[in-house]
Each structure stands twice: as structure tokens, then as C-alpha cells.
Amino acid sequence: MNRNDIKKGLLPYLFLFIFMISVFYGLSIMNRKVHVLNYGQLINEFDKNNIEEVTIIPRDRSKVYEIRGRIKGYKENETFFVRVPFTDEVVGKILAYQEQNQFKLITEADPESGSLLLILINILPIALLVGATFFIITRQMGGANRSMDFGKSRAKLHEESKKVNFNAVAGLKEEKEEVSELIDFLKNPKKFQKLGARIPKGVLLVGPPGTGKTLLARAVAGEANVPFYYISGSDFVELFVGVGASRVRDMFRQAKNNAPCLIFIDEIDAVGRQRGTGLGGGHDEREQTLNQLLTEMDGFGSNEGIIIIAATNRPDVLDPALLRPGRFDRQVTVNLPDVRAREEILAVHATNKVLAKSVTLDNLAKRTPGFSGADLENLLNEAALLAVRRNKDYITMAEVDEATDRVLMGPAKLSKKYTTQEKIMVSYHEAGHVVLGIKLNDAHVVQKVTIIPRSYAGGYAMMIPKEEKYTATKTELLDQITGLLGGRVAEEIIFNEVTTGAHNDFEKATKIARSMVTEYGMSNLGPMQLEHQAEGVFLGRDYNKSRNFSDQVALEIDREIRNIISLCYDKAKKILLENKDLLDLISKTLLEYETLTKEQIEYLVVNNKMPEEEDLSKYDVTELRIMAKDKGIKTNSKMKKEDLIKELNK
């Protein structure tokens, strides 16, 4: 807090204090009772010896004496007041009475002769009035000034961005190479101008949320060591028409004054949506803001030294004018990281984490397909919080597994109680997924299965692909659908009854089957794309789909989807009937242990039983002590590794 803020904070209290003092002083004056006497009455009281106290105050300007005092019988707040001529005769009489009656006599100097007191009496009230008026007007003008600031740019200059470089951006090798030209241009623009090269004025970063678009933009500014202005697309649009356009002009004015610099516009789709759609009503303010943004980008000279980077996860709704050459004419796609990139991202976020030796980043990267960089950071943070909550010195695989489940499905509902029959049905449902994951070559592998409820699920099986691929064959998609139907098929085989637990499985299976028919051309209807997302800009992404077929073809699509689901359902039923013993074994093991990992499932399939003893030799002494503490086993500092293993295996 600076001095100006302190002064502004103390000023209202100072005025309040002065006001309260004035009020108390005024009240004290109002409570006084003053009897105004004439000279004759005063002499009469002197003769009767009723005077107790007299104060004489000379007034040089008016040539009078002001006499104040108290008479016998007056109350505490009562006094008398007399003005007498400014003569020596009057003073002589009062002095004679004082010698005779011995009352208290006080003389004071003329108050008007003191300059300080004169100022306090005559000027202070006026100063207080002026000060109070100024304070009130300032408060009112403050609101007006805030309203006048509507047209000012909301772009914030981030000084911390200069500390961020490409070392902090993991897993985006190709993306960093794509934007490295921007850094060279910001550092040495003459090198490009010499050959007549034109660096893009705007770069659009496209990708799912949490993949590192903002971090990449900050790293560009940090590597180039230039100012970094950050603003969100929603910061431009306000209630009043014209405010957004004014903010755009002010933002570019500030940028030109600080060139070379970098402007980052996050969520640009908030202001850059397509114009003139006519659906859901227009928005003049947003369209005027977009028009001003386009105009400012066109107005850039070739040597302005300003580069705009924008980010969005919905490039399909952007206005085509934004994407033409000369504006955002370069798009950099920032996809979800693959297994190699996930390992690099985990290494960055694990620098300040204390991991046990059993936690390897390559293994953790393989277990987290589909996780974004933000998800991976959250995963390690959740694991660290769990380790602290459990009073551990290291983050072990137990915390990592629990954190993964929390990120995907939420915290475990340990207080939720199953009925015995419900628990058995859930165990067979999840066992059905496990068996099909084992027996189908192209189905997703079950990495972990549990019957502990989380969120709205009574249990779940974490199914991940054997390999991360960009494309999928028809056989792989059919096996995925078959694996998703395993839970419902197991319920029907064992109990001759079905439950509501498979609704999410059906949703995923139906989506895959419909895409196979209408988008991938993997049905008897032939290699045609029958549906694609129309994506009305104001109606939402999936509100409307473009239909390039008749009602007759729509009926055939429904039949093909039904045939695919039915085929996969029959295949799942056949496999589970052939492996009913394995289905029973996994279900009973789940009822006993509640959670099974991939390694335990593989051991169970081969040996028909759970591993009796875990190979504890791979852990160090510290990890073994932590494991013993979790199980309530007492240890001491003299125990060796072999002794700890023996205690844990008891």
C-alpha cells in the first residue's frame, strides 16, 4: 500500500473526527444557560454580595468590557453576561467590590488580539465546510470517473511473464518450433525485413482447455524479453455500445507506445464469433468490437513490432475475416499430449514434489491417456495433498492411484453402503468389463477396476487403449463397443435381470456406433458422410446437425446402428458364457478386495488366485517404514530392510 492510498484511507476518518468534535462542542454550548444582565442589575448584585465569580474580558475593537460570572443560587451550567463601557471607572468599582466581598476575579486578554485563535474562530468553520463539500464532490466524481474509464483498455501488463521461457513449456516441441520465428522477429526484425519477409501479425492457438496455450504465449514473450499484454475476449464487450471498440483502440495505442511487444487475447471466440447469423438475435456491441479489431490489425505497418497471439478451443465459430491472410493467418494446434509429452510435463510439475522410488514418471504417463497438462499438474497436486493428509514423507503409488481416481471420478463415497445383493451385482457388472478387456484383442485394457462408489457411479473400470493411435480400424471400434456392453451382458447372464448401471456404457457405445455409420462410412450404407455438425453459432454446438439424407435413409441409419449394437451384444454374451468361471473368479475377488489393479488381474487370470506376498524388495527402507506405519506395525530405527519385509509379510 502506497502513501496516497494511506492518505485516502485516513481522510474520511479525519473529517469524521472533526465533525464529531464540532457536534460535541455545539451540544455543550446548547446545554449552557446564560442570563443577560444590564449594568444596573450587575451593580445591584454586587451590593447584595451575591457574586461568586467574575471574568473580565476587554474588547479593544468595540471599546467595551465583557463581564461573565456566576451568582449565588446558579446551577452548574448557568452564568451571567454583561457588556459595560470601556472606562477605568467601571474597572475601579469592580476592584472595590472584590476587596470588600472577596469573590473570585479573573481577567483575560482580548481573544481577537491572538492571530492563531482568530484563525481558529473565524476561518476554521469555513475550512471545515469547504473540506466537507470537497470530500462529497470527490466521492461523487469518483463514480463518474469510473464510468469514464469504460473506454480504457483492460489489457494487463504482466511483468512476471519475462521470467517464463521455453523450459517451462514441456511436451510442445513442434508448437515451440512453430512460434520460434516470432521470437526472432521481436528480437531482430531487420533480419526479416532485409529479405522482404513478412511475419504474421496474428497467431491463433487452437486446442482443448488446459493444453498450455496461455503458457506458450507467455513463453514467447519471455524468450523475446518484450512486454506481454494479457486480455480476455470478454473484457472488450460491455453493456454500452461503442465501449468495446474504444477499448480495442486504446489497447493498440498502448501497444504501439511499448513496441516491440506481444498482445495475448484469451478466449477470442467471445468477441470474434461469426457476424450476421440472424439466429438468437444480433449483438451490435460485439460486432462493432470485432470490426474495430479487424480494422486495427489491418492498420499495422510492416515494422510496428506488435504481434497478437489469440487462443480458443472453438475455431469453428470464428468469423472468417479474422482468419484471412494479414490477420490471424497462422494457426498452431496445441493438442492433448501423447505419452512422451506427458512424461515431460510430469517431470516439470514433479520438480518440487517428493516422490517415492516406486513412482516412475514413465509408468505414470502410460496410465494417463487423454490427460491435459493442467490435468497432470492437478493429479500430482492431489497426490501431494493426500500424502500430507496421511502424514507421509513421500508420495507413493497409493496416493497417485487415489489422485487419479479423484481427478476422473471424484472422491470415494466410503460412507455409502451397498446392500449385499447390490454389491454382488456391481461386482459382476465390473467383472464383465474386465473379462472382455482380457479376451478381446482390440478392446481397451482395464487398468483398474473397483466397486467402491465414486460420484454417481456404483463402481467403475478404468479402460485405456493398448496403444495411443491417431486412427482406429473397424475391428477396434467394434471391440470397444463390445467391451462397453460387457457389464450389462454379465448382469443378464448371472441374474437374468438388468440394472440402470450401464447407462453411461450405452451412451458411449451408441456414440461410437452412430459415428461409424454416419461419419466413418463403416456400414452397409457405404462410404458416405451422412451427418456433420452444423454448429449454429448462437444455438450451441450440438443443437442442430446437418442432414444430407431423406427420412428413408434415416430409418436405414437407425437400423445399421441397431445391427452394430446387437452384433456386439451377442459377441459379448458368447465370450462371457465361454468364460463364466473367470467371470465368477473376478467377481468374488472384487467382493473381497474391492479394488484390483492391472497387475493383480493378470496374476489372477494365470494363477486363479491373488498374489500372496508382494515383492517388497523393490522398496527402500524409508518406503517400507511408511508402509508399516500405514498398517499399524511398530518399527524402530535399528530395523534393517530384511526385518521390515518380514514384518510386512506377516
Side-chain angles (χ1 to χ4, degrees), residues 408-648:
L408 292 175
M409 299 292 294
K413 305 289 185 181
L414 299 176
S415 60
K416 184 177 180 180
K417 301 299 181 182
Y418 281 126
T419 63
T420 303
Q421 182 64 20
E422 189 179 16
K423 192 172 184 179
I424 295 173
M425 295 187 78
V426 172
S427 68
Y428 271 103
H429 179 103
E430 303 302 336
H433 292 303
V434 175
V435 172
L436 291 176
I438 295 171
K439 297 301 179 181
L440 291 172
N441 293 328
D442 295 312
H444 285 180
V445 179
V446 177
Q447 184 72 29
K448 179 180 179 181
V449 61
T450 180
I451 59 174
I452 298 175
R454 289 180 183 272
S455 185
Y456 295 104
Y460 82 99
M462 183 191 298
M463 306 171 71
I464 63 174
K466 293 180 180 179
E467 296 179 353
E468 293 186 49
K469 301 168 64 176
Y470 286 100
T471 60
T473 64
K474 181 178 179 181
T475 303
E476 290 172 345
L477 294 176
L478 290 174
D479 282 355
Q480 288 180 30
I481 295 174
T482 305
L484 289 168
L485 298 174
R488 167 56 67 87
V489 174
E491 294 173 2
E492 186 177 346
I493 291 174
I494 301 300
F495 304 103
N496 197 26
E497 184 62 273
V498 294
T499 68
T500 60
H503 67 93
N504 187 249
D505 299 331
F506 292 158
E507 180 183 353
K508 295 178 181 178
T510 305
K511 185 177 181 180
I512 296 174
R514 188 169 193 88
S515 297
M516 290 176 64
V517 175
T518 62
E519 297 180 35
Y520 307 147
M522 296 180 178
S523 70
N524 294 328
L525 295 180
M528 296 185 297
Q529 188 180 43
L530 299 171
E531 287 182 352
H532 66 273
Q533 302 292 340
E535 302 206 6
V537 178
F538 293 101
L539 297 179
R541 294 182 66 90
D542 301 322
Y543 185 87
N544 187 26
K545 287 188 176 182
S546 175
R547 290 183 46 171
N548 299 321
F549 49 82
S550 63
D551 292 339
Q552 180 64 32
V553 176
L555 178 61
E556 294 181 18
I557 291 174
D558 293 339
R559 286 175 178 170
E560 286 295 323
I561 296 173
R562 189 178 297 109
N563 289 338
I564 291 174
I565 298 294
S566 299
L567 177 66
C568 294
Y569 195 91
D570 294 338
K571 184 178 181 180
K573 192 170 186 178
K574 179 182 178 182
I575 294 173
L576 291 182
L577 286 172
E578 292 174 353
N579 298 274
K580 188 172 181 299
D581 293 339
L582 180 60
L583 181 67
D584 293 335
L585 176 63
I586 294 176
S587 175
K588 291 178 181 177
T589 308
L590 270 175
L591 286 172
E592 181 179 356
Y593 292 91
E594 293 189 332
T595 300
L596 298 176
T597 63
K598 177 187 175 185
E599 294 76 14
Q600 291 173 327
I601 293 171
E602 291 174 348
Y603 186 93
L604 185 65
V605 172
V606 175
N607 301 283
N608 291 329
K609 64 178 182 178
M610 288 286 285
E612 295 181 358
E613 293 185 1
E614 183 183 2
D615 183 13
L616 301 177
S617 60
K618 61 183 179 181
Y619 299 105
D620 60 19
V621 175
T622 304
E623 291 178 294
L624 292 173
R625 293 186 191 280
I626 294 173
M627 295 169 66
K629 182 180 178 181
D630 292 341
K631 294 183 178 182
I633 300 173
K634 294 182 178 180
T635 61
N636 56 65
S637 58
K638 297 181 180 180
M639 293 182 68
K640 298 181 179 179
K641 183 175 181 179
E642 295 76 12
D643 299 329
L644 291 169
I645 292 175
K646 288 180 182 179
E647 291 293 328
L648 287 168

Side-chain angles (χ1 to χ4, degrees), residues 148-154 236 240-253 285 288-289 292 296:
M148 295 299 292
D149 287 341
F150 276 168
K152 298 295 183 181
S153 171
R154 299 293 178 90
F236 290 112
F240 305 107
V241 176
V243 171
S246 175
R247 289 179 178 175
V248 171
R249 289 190 294 269
D250 188 62
M251 179 182 70
F252 280 94
R253 181 187 58 79
E285 164 62 1
Q288 286 190 24
T289 305
Q292 186 64 43
E296 290 290 341

Side-chain angles (χ1 to χ4, degrees), residues 268-283 286-287 290 314-320 533-545:
I268 194 173
D269 52 277
V271 70
R273 287 172 175 254
Q274 296 178 19
R275 295 167 291 179
T277 59
L279 297 176
H283 196 307
R286 184 183 56 77
E287 293 190 2
L290 176 57
R314 293 196 59 189
D316 48 286
V317 303
L318 294 180
D319 194 281
Q533 302 292 340
E535 302 206 6
V537 178
F538 293 101
L539 297 179
R541 294 182 66 90
D542 301 322
Y543 185 87
N544 187 26
K545 287 188 176 182

Side-chain angles (χ1 to χ4, degrees), residues 354-371:
V354 184
L355 301 176
K357 291 184 178 180
S358 59
V359 181
T360 57
L361 298 182
D362 59 339
N363 183 36
L364 185 54
K366 294 176 183 177
R367 295 160 59 97
T368 53
F371 276 50

